[in-house]
């Protein structure tokens, strides 16, 4: 178990982007998103390799997206099944969930 979890990096590519955690040996946990206009993002995919299993990496990625969306006044559409399940578990995120 690492002493310190890696920092989440945001890669912004215009209309798309991803949050990524880089691990040992080049392993990457990622959550990809698509921007819809200025005020919404769609979380479309979350992938966590075995190197990150049991560390809450997927939840950390979604949590970071929620924090960033909240700070920017954006809404999230969680099309990714994992992200959607996290939104159902975390009622405190309702303010950024696109209804």
């Amino acid at each position: 178990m690492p002493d310190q979890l890696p920092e989440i990096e945001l890669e912004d590519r215009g209309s798309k982007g991803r949050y990524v955690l880089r691990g040992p040996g080049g392993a990457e946990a990622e959550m990809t998103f698509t921007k819809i206009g200025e005020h919404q993002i769609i979380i479309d995919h979350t992938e966590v390799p075995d190197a990150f299993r049991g560390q809450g990496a997927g939840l950390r990625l979604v949590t970071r997206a929620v924090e960033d969306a909240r700070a920017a006044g954006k809404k999230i559409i969680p099309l990714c099944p994992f992200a959607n399940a996290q939104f159902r578990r975390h009622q405190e995120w309702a303010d950024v969930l696109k209804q």
Side-chain angles (χ1 to χ4, degrees), residues 46 48 56-62 79-87 89:
T46 306
V48 177
L59 176 58
R60 284 186 65 210
L61 292 166
V62 178
L79 290 187
C80 161
F82 175 81
N84 195 7
Q86 294 302 320
F87 267 90
R89 287 191 190 112

